[in-house]
């Protein structure tokens, strides 16, 4: 789809709600998107004055933060074009350091803000349940061959650096730099945790849903074990929430997205820190077909 500055789109939300977003900058394949305060159960009219406003996030730790982010990836077909409203001078000058490689949750800020006001108890319960899941994941060393893993929250904070800039390469370098500041033991824990999460995605169902290079029973010899590994890296890089959804629903695997560079961040961080080669064998093998149960 050809996008133009000022384009307004309605975004389907849970419970039959709609949000409204505005395209305010385009740099090659990167799109700067603004979420408006609009939320309702019907499509907005282009004449609705609220479409000219910018949503401000105030839930939980937010402090009047404008809901603006850079987004990359294929534009969703389910977004509904509403019309075009020319950019204001303020919109032309908006800047954002927030970057996402998926459109999956674009527009959801207004839904979470609405819930914070009207359905806070349920929202807080969901967050609490997610925190409980995190605690369970942090106990993986007790459930999986006594493997010691990095604290789940710490791991995902580090991973979030990958998409904190507009360029993936810059994000990868940020991750390497931060890892190099850690103790050698923590670098190894990061590598162990990354390998484990990649191992969990090593299933036939996930391999069948990576796009053009998906695994096909009728043509198993055309399947690339390396590309599937790189696709799993892309899935992990998208963050905790999306990773967990992909883990549960293989059809959500990124399509034709690969991030081979993620495989080397721990070794490069170690070499930057110690000046020598990183030699470390993880308990779980991240290579394709290592998860025997996932391919049975």
């Amino acid at each position: 789809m050809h996008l133009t500055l000022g384009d307004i789109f309605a975004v389907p939300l849970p419970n039959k709600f709609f949000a409204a977003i505005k395209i305010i900058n385009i740099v090659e394949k990167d799109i700067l998107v603004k979420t408006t305060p609009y939320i309702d159960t019907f499509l907005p009219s282009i004449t609705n004055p609220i479409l000219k406003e910018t949503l401000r996030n105030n839930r939980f730790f937010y402090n009047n933060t404008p809901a603006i982010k850079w987004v990359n990836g294929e534009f969703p077909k389910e977004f509904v074009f509403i019309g075009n409203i020319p950019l204001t001078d303020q919109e032309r000058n908006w800047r954002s350091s927030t970057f996402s490689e998926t459109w999956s949750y674009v527009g959801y800020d207004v839904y979470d803000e609405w819930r914070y006001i009207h359905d806070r108890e349920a929202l807080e319960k969901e967050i609490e349940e997610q925190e409980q899941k995190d605690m369970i994941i942090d106990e993986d060393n007790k459930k999986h061959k006594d493997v010691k893993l990095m604290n789940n929250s710490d791991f995902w904070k580090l991973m979030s650096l990958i998409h904190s800039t507009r360029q993936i390469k810059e994000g990868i370098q940020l991750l390497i730099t931060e890892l190099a500041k850690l103790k050698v033991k923590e670098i190894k824990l990061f590598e162990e945790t990354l390998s484990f999460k990649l191992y969990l995605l090593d299933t036939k169902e996930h391999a069948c849903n990576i796009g053009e290079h998906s695994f096909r029973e009728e043509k198993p010899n055309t399947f690339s074990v390396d590309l599937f590994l790189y696709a799993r890296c892309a899935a992990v890089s998208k963050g905790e929430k999306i990773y967990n959804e992909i883990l549960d629903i293989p059809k959500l695997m990124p399509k034709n997205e690969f991030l081979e560079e993620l495989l080397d961040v721990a070794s490069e961080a170690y070499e930057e820190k110690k000046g020598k080669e990183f030699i470390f064998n993880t308990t779980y093998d991240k290579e394709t077909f290592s998860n025997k149960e996932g391919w049975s």
Side-chain angles (χ1 to χ4, degrees):
M1 173 179 288
H2 177 72
L3 300 177
T4 302
L5 297 182
D7 282 352
I8 304 288
F9 290 88
V11 178
L13 299 173
N15 297 321
K16 299 182 179 180
F17 280 112
F18 288 98
I21 63 170
K22 185 176 184 179
I23 308 300
I24 60 175
N25 200 356
I26 301 174
V27 180
E28 297 180 354
K29 295 183 179 180
D30 297 331
I31 313 297
L32 186 59
V33 178
K34 179 187 87 168
T35 299
T36 75
Y38 181 87
I39 181 169
D40 216 318
T41 54
F42 52 85
L43 295 174
S45 166
I46 193 62
T47 59
N48 191 325
I50 202 171
L51 299 184
K52 297 180 180 180
E53 300 178 19
T54 303
L55 175 71
R56 296 277 179 165
N57 288 314
N58 284 290
R59 64 191 183 279
F60 300 118
F61 59 84
Y62 286 105
N63 184 21
N64 208 36
T65 308
I68 297 172
K69 68 168 65 176
W70 287 96
V71 189
N72 197 308
E74 185 176 354
F75 192 81
K77 296 179 180 179
E78 62 269 24
F79 285 16
V80 182
F81 179 68
I82 301 300
N84 186 284
I85 299 176
L87 299 186
T88 64
D89 290 339
Q90 183 185 46
E91 288 172 335
R92 293 181 187 279
N93 292 320
W94 276 121
R95 299 290 182 269
S96 175
S97 60
T98 303
F99 186 87
S100 172
E101 203 174 80
T102 175
W103 289 83
S104 299
Y105 295 100
V106 171
Y108 273 62
D109 277 328
V110 71
Y111 181 63
D112 289 341
E113 288 291 318
W114 183 91
R115 292 192 65 196
Y116 187 68
I117 296 172
H118 301 284
D119 192 28
R120 186 181 303 188
E121 183 176 349
L123 179 61
E124 290 177 341
K125 183 178 180 181
E126 288 178 15
I127 293 173
E128 182 179 348
E129 289 174 350
Q130 184 59 52
E131 290 175 347
Q132 291 295 323
K133 289 181 181 179
D134 291 345
M135 291 176 64
I136 293 173
I137 293 173
D138 285 338
E139 294 298 320
D140 277 332
N141 61 322
K142 296 180 180 179
K143 296 183 178 181
H144 300 278
K145 301 180 182 179
D146 291 328
V147 179
K148 289 187 177 180
L149 301 174
M150 175 174 271
N151 174 276
N152 198 55
S153 178
D154 292 342
F155 175 81
W156 289 115
K157 284 179 182 177
L158 286 166
M159 291 300 298
S160 69
L161 295 172
I162 294 176
H163 297 299
S164 65
T165 66
R166 287 172 50 195
Q167 298 296 327
I168 295 295
K169 289 184 178 180
E170 293 178 5
I172 289 288
Q173 187 55 55
L174 275 177
L175 174 55
I176 293 170
T177 300
E178 288 303 309
L179 278 174
K181 296 177 183 178
L182 302 179
K183 297 177 181 178
V184 170
K185 177 182 178 181
E186 293 171 317
I187 295 176
K188 290 181 178 179
L189 285 176
F190 175 88
E191 179 70 359
E192 189 77 78
T193 306
L194 174 61
S195 293
F196 178 65
K197 293 187 184 300
L198 291 172
Y199 171 87
L200 293 179
L201 291 176
D202 180 28
T203 78
K204 183 188 293 186
E205 282 192 78
H206 288 89
C208 289
N209 288 281
I210 63 171
E212 181 182 353
H213 301 281
S214 294
F215 177 82
R216 294 177 176 82
E217 292 279 5
E218 66 275 14
K219 295 182 179 180
N221 293 331
T222 64
F223 176 64
S224 170
V225 295
D226 289 334
L227 286 180
F228 180 44
L229 173 57
Y230 306 155
R232 285 182 278 140
C233 288
V236 175
S237 78
K238 292 185 179 298
E240 180 179 15
K241 185 174 183 179
I242 294 178
Y243 170 82
N244 287 333
E245 290 178 347
I246 292 171
L247 196 59
D248 292 336
I249 309 173
K251 289 183 179 180
L252 297 180
M253 273 292 287
K255 304 298 185 286
N256 305 313
E257 293 184 36
F258 311 100
L259 191 60
E260 179 183 1
E261 296 87 346
L262 183 59
L263 298 173
D264 298 322
V265 294
S267 59
E268 290 188 26
Y270 179 85
E271 290 171 16
E272 182 178 317
K273 184 179 186 69
K274 305 295 288 185
K276 56 184 179 181
E277 184 181 0
F278 183 56
I279 301 176
F280 177 66
N281 294 320
T282 58
T283 304
Y284 284 89
D285 193 341
K286 55 182 170 283
E287 297 298 332
T288 299
F289 298 135
S290 295
N291 186 348
K292 303 301 182 183
E293 184 178 342
W295 286 91
S296 61

